[in-house]
Amino acid sequence: MSELENGISRRTALKGVGATLGAAAFARALAPLTEWTADLSVDQFLQKHYRELTPEAMQQVLGRLEAETKRDYGVDVEIEDIKPTPGVAFAYALNLSICIGCRKCAEACHKENNHDRPSQNSYIRVLEMEQGSLDMERGDTMYDHPVPAPGKFYMPVQCQQCDNPPCVHVCPVEATWKEPDGIVVVDYNWCIGCRYCEAACPYHARRFNWQKPEIPAEEINPIQAYLSNRIRPQGVVEKCHFCLHRTRQGRLPACLEACPTGARVFGNVLDPASEIRWVLEHKRVFVLKEELGTRPRFFYFFDE
Amino acid sequence: MSAKTPKILSGHLVSYPRFLWESIVLATEGSPLFYGWMTLLTALSLVGVHAWATQVANGMITTHMTDQVSWGLYIANFTFIVGLAAGAVMMVIPAYIYHDHDMHDVVIIGELLAIAAIVMCLLFVTVDLGRPDRFWHLIPGIGRFHWPMSMLTWDVIVLNGYLLLNLHICGYLLYTRFLGRQPNPRWYVPFVFLSIGWAISIHTVTAFLYQGLGGRPFWNTAILAPRFIVSAFVTGPAFIILTLQLLRRLTDLPIGARPMQTLSSIMRITILLNLFMVASEIFTEFYTGGAHVSSAIYLYFGLHGHHGLVPWIWTAIGFNVTAAVLLHLPVSRRKSWVLNLACVLCFIGLWIEKGMGLIVPGFIPSTLHELVEYSPSLIEWKVMAGIWACGGLVYTVALKIAIPVLTGRVGYRDYATDEPGLTSAAPSEEAPRMAQK
């Protein structure tokens, strides 16, 4: 009997040792997480969805985000929550006859929107297309030669701010939605990073933060908004927001201001006197992948 | 009635913890082979845990996914394993709808596989999240659950529902066996029938995740859901046949010849159906031509000098066709190694076909027709190995508990003798039935 008991206790002791070793190994394996969670505050973890934040709660969040930016990037920034203006609905048009493919728009976006520097991220991709074809299959985004090249035309593509946006439909947590002025936005503090929207978008308009954005302090644009160009957290999706921190305050998007040829037209379609309205009424405009039924707010046209 | 209920309940208050305790004992005791196997799986799981922790801390830059190919190995495995979970129903249908008694005796092996597979699915989705700390945003009522619009919310419902259904069915059946009682059909048969429909739903919803995307022509095909279901009915039976072969050698569970015959008969049909659907897909793509065929050209032949997936898909086709031929040779009925080989081949073949061969080419070329290729990083392979090992742990433990309970080696025999204070109602009620058994 005592032998049996000894046997059992020995076995139990061995099991105990095994379990302890296992638990220790598990804790050791998870060690990289402790470093990461040290940067993660309880407030950040518990933060509510954008549309559930009261104005006071939003002020607290903005203050916290500014402090986080100061801590992580060493820069004083001002982050605002800028709401859409009633009676304003934005649209964009691009004249393919005069775009020369210089990528100044992509570069301006890169700087304006505090994009990650190493990946040279931008919300705009410029396709070099063969004249006589609108088939993107024959387009090239990686061209590396003087522009405009003979026999080519250039087609910048960014978020089309669809009125029937597949990316918004597929999001499992409502982290992305369409604002009353037509802009599709992302709550970077609500997105779980599943990237379903990236799979759903037919225009490759969305980007994922594969790592924490790296930007030198002196290059950070300090004028920021919650739903637009504030520095995004690691592991969330982002996209073009028509520079809402500028456009909702009466300015033009950075990509438009940077365009040397005046190929870009932006404005409030509800304003009959606006230039965008004139273009939509007088030019034979078209949208990309119209057959998908996404109803873009981004139009293209040729002059001649 | 009202007087009886508390007594039965108090009986369960003793016997259920006892059942759980016995389960823990069963799960942690065994032969040196068992300890070795569990140690290996634990070690692999830890490798996966470490790789995942590194990925969360340093960002998903540690994977080889890109903005062009934004889903990779994780979602490929997820898709395949949902099929494995759904395929387990191919034991349930013969057992409960066609009243195949031999299958009925071992059906729990399939139901436990479903549990392990769903656990793996949930893990594969979790490791694919950029912000796993925000998983609570997905919990209905607490977060913002975008139902019914987002197919992913449907997936959350059906996968967790299927997990709960199978946990209930297996838990109830094992517990009643443990008590030495006949299970009350009212408490599990309705759930079994629900689980049959539910099994179809989990794989249908998974297919709908992809096939509903108009911007991805490679996935945007109505045949995707049927293909998923049919191929699930190849992989599920294949895995269960291999499991049964192992259990025959390693345990004393009586396994008749019939279940294996039934499962291989199912595979003989489904494997051909799957090949037929793939052929139909290939015909539509290549005969129609145009820009929509780019992904298929990339997958099968390579496009503009990019051939990353070509060796994968031809391996898959080779394996699947070989498995189909083997299964239809008369020798596969006589020699178990032929059957086993066929099962291994089609399991790997379909892992490629439904995983890397389906998810990755959906992104190549990208929606702006950029050609960016993808091959998983070491971190991704480690995480994948960890999750498979974790699934292996769950399944091993489940079987380790279930088999002694099923064979009656472990049970609540000493109900009346050991617990003098609780002998009043429940035991006397159950004792005669135990004697019958």
Side-chain angles (χ1 to χ4, degrees), chain A residues 15 45 52 125 137 141 170-174 188 190-196 198-199 208 210 234 289, chain B residues 28-29 50 56 59-61 67-68 70-71 128 130-131 133-134 137 144 146 150 209 216 294 367 370:
Chain A
K15 272 192 198 175
F45 177 72
E52 289 169 18
R125 265 190 172 69
E137 177 84 41
T141 57
V170 299
C171 178
V173 295
E174 298 179 3
Y188 311 123
W190 192 258
C191 170
I192 59 172
C194 71
R195 307 186 301 292
Y196 196 6
E198 228 179 350
F208 183 70
W210 300 96
Q234 172 175 300
K289 305 193 185 188
Chain B
T28 53
E29 287 206 351
H50 183 70
V56 173
M60 295 186 90
I61 190 90
D67 281 324
Q68 281 82 10
S70 48
W71 281 339
D128 194 59
R131 297 301 298 223
D133 54 313
R134 297 185 187 162
H137 297 180
R144 282 176 80 101
H146 195 194
S150 169
L209 280 181
R216 305 271 173 198
S294 312
T367 47
E370 288 175 288

Side-chain angles (χ1 to χ4, degrees), chain A:
Chain A
M1 190 67 192
S2 72
E3 240 184 292
L4 185 69
E5 264 170 20
N6 271 341
I8 288 168
S9 66
R10 190 138 132 248
R11 181 163 268 228
T12 315
L14 275 174
K15 272 192 198 175
V17 171
T20 315
L21 279 177
F26 187 73
R28 190 82 191 80
L30 277 174
L33 274 189
T34 46
E35 196 186 317
W36 180 71
T37 45
D39 281 354
L40 191 74
S41 64
V42 176
D43 286 346
Q44 195 180 336
F45 177 72
L46 293 177
Q47 186 183 320
K48 287 183 175 170
H49 186 274
Y50 176 81
R51 291 200 273 200
E52 289 169 18
L53 289 172
T54 60
E56 300 76 45
M58 178 47 100
Q59 282 313 311
Q60 278 186 359
V61 167
L62 295 175
R64 198 194 74 228
L65 291 172
E66 287 168 357
E68 280 171 14
T69 312
K70 177 79 177 162
R71 181 193 68 193
D72 295 349
Y73 295 90
V75 180
D76 290 302
V77 299
E78 196 185 333
I79 307 176
E80 277 187 274
D81 175 33
I82 308 166
K83 302 286 186 196
T85 312
V88 173
F90 293 119
Y92 216 140
L94 203 149
N95 187 343
L96 293 172
S97 295
I98 57 177
C99 174
I100 54 169
C102 64
R103 295 198 184 109
K104 288 279 185 210
C105 50
E107 190 192 0
C109 174
H110 180 68
K111 290 178 178 160
E112 174 71 26
N113 290 315
N114 293 313
H115 282 288
D116 177 50
R117 292 304 189 252
S119 58
Q120 295 182 303
N121 198 20
S122 167
Y123 295 138
I124 304 173
R125 265 190 172 69
V126 184
L127 277 89
E128 183 175 72
M129 308 278 287
E130 262 175 60
Q131 266 176 15
S133 168
L134 269 173
D135 187 354
M136 289 189 210
E137 177 84 41
R138 299 161 82 176
D140 176 21
T141 57
M142 306 296 283
Y143 63 91
D144 185 19
H145 50 72
V147 289
K152 306 284 186 187
F153 73 97
Y154 297 86
M155 187 162 79
V157 180
Q158 62 207 73
C159 176
Q160 309 284 300
Q161 314 289 359
C162 306
D163 278 347
N164 181 25
C167 54
V168 169
H169 299 326
V170 299
C171 178
V173 295
E174 298 179 3
T176 183
W177 65 91
K178 196 168 180 64
E179 293 265 289
D181 57 1
I183 302 176
V184 174
V185 293
V186 180
D187 182 348
Y188 311 123
N189 278 51
W190 192 258
C191 170
I192 59 172
C194 71
R195 307 186 301 292
Y196 196 6
C197 56
E198 228 179 350
C201 173
Y203 307 101
H204 196 348
R206 288 178 171 253
R207 310 281 183 274
F208 183 70
N209 286 278
W210 300 96
Q211 62 178 335
K212 187 174 171 141
E214 285 175 25
I215 319 166
E218 65 277 10
E219 291 180 24
I220 288 174
N221 176 5
I223 302 159
Q224 304 180 359
Y226 184 90
L227 291 175
S228 67
N229 65 336
R230 68 183 167 102
I231 302 173
R232 275 74 67 193
Q234 172 175 300
V236 304
V237 166
E238 57 176 73
K239 62 180 286 301
C240 165
H241 35 72
F242 275 179
C243 277
L244 67 80
H245 54 285
R246 298 165 63 107
T247 51
R248 280 183 181 173
Q249 297 189 324
R251 298 174 66 201
L252 289 165
C255 48
L256 185 148
E257 280 191 355
C259 179
T261 65
R264 290 171 169 267
V265 180
F266 180 86
N268 176 12
V269 273
L270 300 181
D271 173 6
S274 65
E275 191 185 356
I276 184 74
R277 187 72 175 260
W278 188 89
V279 167
L280 296 184
E281 281 171 5
H282 294 89
K283 296 289 179 181
R284 281 167 293 161
V285 297
F286 66 94
V287 294
L288 294 183
K289 305 193 185 188
E290 186 179 3
E291 70 278 11
L292 297 179
T294 50
R295 285 188 275 127
R297 270 168 186 262
F298 200 104
F299 300 87
Y300 294 89
F301 62 100
F302 290 95
D303 257 348
E304 69 272 10

